[in-house]
Amino acid sequence: MSEVIHHYINGRVVEGASGRRGEVFNPAIGEVIRQVSLADAAEVDKVVAAARDAFPAWAAAPPIRRARVMFKMKQLLEENIDELARMLTEEHGKTVEDSKGSITRGIEVVEFACGMPHLLKGEFTEQVGTGVDSYSIRQPLGVCVGITPFNFPAMIPLWMSPISLACGNTFVLKPSEKDPSLALRLAELYTEAGLPDGAFNVIQGDKAAVNALLAHPDVAAISFVGATATAEYIYHTGCAHNKRVQALGGAKNHMVVMPDADMAQATDAIMGAAYGSAGERCMAISVAVAVGDRVADDLIARLIPRVRALKVGPGIDPDTEMGPLVTKDHYDKVMGYIDKGIEEGAELVLDGRDLTLQGYENGYFMGGSIFDRVTTEMSIYTDEIFGPVLAVVRAPDYGAAVAMVNDHEYGNGAAIFTRDGDAARDFASNIQIGMVGINVPIPVPVAYYSFGGWKRSLFGDHHMHGAEGVRFYTKLKTITSRWPTGIRAGAEFVMPTLG
Ligand code: NAD
């Protein structure tokens, strides 16, 4: 019988009891390598109870003690990064170097959480009235839940859990059932770092587990990252159960290439941003908006030989630049979009569909594709494909390019490539997008800034990590205090105006 990935509750691995299991694939070989338990509502009850019971003591721990666990966690993640990266690559497919890079971005959030004693400091005003002082404090919410996607099985749980925990909450992670192993290792490392039992738990599962978490009366807040349809559902259902919810969704990130751009730099940028991780990044560039036909022709002429030469292969091979797609279903979906693009009249100037790798014939590999003359009503423009498929759209001028980005339903990231400071500044001010790059193709904010999109790329009010993360995972309390001084003001029947 193959290995089964189970839950982690109260500081130990707990075998799944629902009788339901999912299959976990290695996408490079297209084979089931292990199974994953899929929790039912009774198991969700158990995991939430563990987090609820651990909450009072953890919330009462001095912030510096909680921060010390994060210092230790950072050290353990760094010591184990090679093993974690290999585990990630085995189930996801991306290259080991890319896996390591994403874990490093997660470690940076742990570093940010090490400063929580400072971040939790409130405000204090002496003498808001005679003998009266006011101060504000931020307190933890209770049991917080993280529901995460397949594409960053380490980084996204680490966007959420270090900040939530350092703020004094306890945490339940429901990772993607497509690559569930890493979550379990994170839980073990948290325990090794000194986190008390029950403070960080993992419940494996699919939508049955998610639905039980969304409705659970002891869950205070939900952080979600995944597709827009799921994000919208999670947001509305979580809110209907009176929970605080932040739900980050899908994306269609545009890169506007101006006539004065450094074309070599822009081409390099598209190579990494469109084809890195096989396009399975929420900040991937999937649309290049060329301003003017000269830019479009030049860009395509530069891209075709580079994309054709991409080294596609298993993520464990150090020479590989692009690994396989995550599952057969996803591979079929991306292939379907390429067919649709042709039907809709776009010009497929590079076709990545016909690719088989010797020794990996059953893997979900695909070469890079490029569509030219894509128009805004085509589904390859409107929909998130989440694969190595670049759409080139020709815009007559800068204004048309900006209008196109602003009219798109998604608002995660956008970039402009130009040497014109005026255009760059106008772009930064007027673009209706949450994360903007100027000659930077994937403008993922560092840990002490916050990550989040606009429009249908984020439901809720708070972005993730940075100051927004601290706000999301705490509630504000404001205290007004007066101590007996012997001076009596007498009873006040009008609205008190201190002073
Ligand atoms: P997904 O929405 O299918 O799954 C995400 C999580 O939701 C998983 O844990 C899954 O088990 C659960 N889930 C899926 N369907 C559900 C349902 N009907 N009811 C309840 N729970 C459900 O997303 P995915 O395919 O794992 O990830 C890819 C998507 O995530 C892409 O759209 C990508 O853009 C998005 N993403 C967004 C960001 C961001 O920061 N905005 C970051 C990474 C990924």
Side-chain angles (χ1 to χ4, degrees):
M1 191 173 117
S2 68
E3 184 195 0
V4 184
I5 302 299
H6 293 295
H7 317 301
Y8 195 89
I9 305 175
N10 244 334
R12 63 187 183 87
V13 174
V14 173
E15 230 175 87
S18 70
R20 289 176 62 233
R21 285 185 183 161
E23 292 178 326
V24 181
F25 286 78
N26 175 338
I29 54 173
E31 282 174 20
V32 177
I33 47 170
R34 51 187 71 99
Q35 297 194 315
V36 57
S37 294
L38 301 175
D40 60 16
E43 290 169 300
V44 167
D45 270 347
K46 273 193 200 139
V47 77
V48 174
R52 184 198 58 210
D53 293 349
F55 175 68
W58 180 243
I64 189 66
R65 208 179 296 158
R66 298 197 298 252
R68 283 185 191 130
V69 173
M70 295 302 147
F71 275 104
K72 183 72 184 163
M73 183 65 175
K74 164 185 153 62
Q75 182 197 334
L76 289 173
L77 286 166
E78 283 168 349
E79 283 169 12
N80 289 279
I81 194 165
D82 291 330
E83 173 220 340
L84 294 169
R86 275 195 306 277
M87 184 181 269
L88 199 163
T89 291
E90 186 187 28
E91 293 183 356
H92 178 283
K94 65 176 86 175
T95 67
V96 173
E97 274 313 297
D98 193 22
S99 294
K100 265 193 209 172
S102 71
I103 298 166
T104 302
R105 292 305 294 260
I107 293 173
E108 288 170 10
V109 183
V110 180
E111 286 169 345
F112 174 74
C114 290
M116 200 52 78
H118 176 75
L119 294 162
L120 285 179
K121 283 195 306 196
E123 296 173 313
F124 185 93
T125 303
E126 185 187 33
Q127 202 76 341
V128 292
T130 306
V132 181
D133 305 325
S134 269
Y135 61 100
S136 63
I137 55 178
R138 290 206 156 265
Q139 295 190 314
L141 308 174
V143 177
C144 296
V145 165
I147 302 164
T148 53
F150 79 84
N151 67 330
F152 287 108
M155 183 180 82
I156 292 180
L158 290 172
W159 280 356
M160 304 168 177
S161 58
I163 298 180
S164 178
L165 290 165
C167 286
N169 301 287
T170 53
F171 201 83
V172 175
L173 173 64
K174 204 305 281 172
S176 169
E177 61 276 41
K178 291 175 191 146
D179 43 15
S181 296
L182 213 115
L184 216 54
R185 277 301 285 145
L186 285 183
E188 288 167 354
L189 294 177
Y190 269 128
T191 298
E192 204 181 326
L195 198 68
D197 292 351
F200 180 88
N201 309 275
V202 177
I203 191 83
Q204 308 284 1
D206 54 10
K207 63 183 177 187
V210 171
N211 286 335
L213 287 164
L214 290 175
H216 202 291
D218 292 331
V219 169
I222 301 196
S223 299
F224 171 86
V225 178
T228 284
T230 329
E232 192 167 23
Y233 167 73
I234 300 275
Y235 179 74
H236 291 298
T237 313
C239 289
H241 288 92
N242 297 321
K243 302 184 191 319
R244 185 178 286 195
V245 188
Q246 53 179 178
L248 279 61
K252 193 82 178 177
N253 305 310
H254 295 60
M255 175 168 143
V256 175
V257 185
M258 296 289 285
D260 64 353
D262 177 332
M263 292 302 288
Q265 186 194 36
T267 309
D268 284 345
I270 291 181
M271 287 304 299
Y275 301 103
S277 203
E280 292 171 328
R281 288 184 184 137
C282 64
M283 288 294 273
I285 292 293
S286 46
V287 181
V289 185
V291 176
D293 283 333
R294 185 184 61 75
V295 175
D297 294 342
D298 186 5
L299 196 62
I300 287 170
R302 287 169 188 264
L303 281 170
I304 287 176
R306 298 276 301 272
V307 179
R308 194 176 276 139
L310 264 176
K311 293 195 190 91
V312 181
I316 46 160
D317 181 340
D319 291 333
T320 294
E321 291 169 327
M322 189 168 89
L325 291 161
V326 67
T327 57
K328 177 75 169 63
D329 278 355
H330 189 56
Y331 172 90
D332 290 342
K333 182 178 149 192
V334 176
M335 290 291 253
Y337 270 112
I338 299 179
D339 295 340
K340 253 194 213 166
I342 298 166
E343 277 164 35
E344 289 171 336
E347 273 177 38
L348 185 62
V349 293
L350 188 67
D351 185 353
R353 287 176 296 178
D354 191 17
L355 182 114
T356 24
L357 289 180
Q358 220 182 353
Y360 294 91
E361 288 79 3
N362 296 326
Y364 314 133
F365 294 98
M366 184 181 283
S369 294
I370 305 175
F371 276 109
D372 189 12
R373 299 187 188 277
V374 174
T375 55
T376 54
E377 71 290 345
M378 294 177 182
S379 64
I380 55 166
Y381 175 78
T382 55
D383 298 2
E384 180 184 50
I385 300 175
F386 224 52
V389 182
L390 179 73
V392 178
V393 185
R394 293 168 180 243
D397 53 36
Y398 169 74
V402 168
M404 196 182 295
V405 180
N406 286 349
D407 285 348
H408 203 285
E409 70 166 318
Y410 293 123
N412 222 36
I416 185 166
F417 275 64
T418 182
R419 288 190 173 93
D420 178 349
D422 192 16
R425 190 165 184 279
D426 182 85
F427 191 80
S429 294
N430 294 316
I431 209 78
Q432 300 300 303
I433 294 287
M435 293 169 285
V436 179
I438 295 168
N439 298 315
V440 172
I442 305 187
V444 175
V446 291
Y448 44 96
Y449 282 80
S450 299
F451 184 107
W454 286 12
K455 298 187 274 185
R456 289 174 61 74
S457 291
L458 189 150
F459 301 85
D461 301 312
H462 293 283
H463 291 198
M464 284 200 187
H465 63 70
E468 286 273 277
V470 178
R471 280 182 212 119
F472 181 79
Y473 287 121
T474 53
K475 51 193 173 191
L476 186 68
K477 184 181 276 179
T478 307
I479 297 117
T480 305
S481 78
R482 168 191 276 151
W483 291 95
T485 56
I487 306 164
R488 289 191 52 196
E492 289 168 354
F493 297 101
V494 293
M495 183 71 191
T497 52
L498 300 169

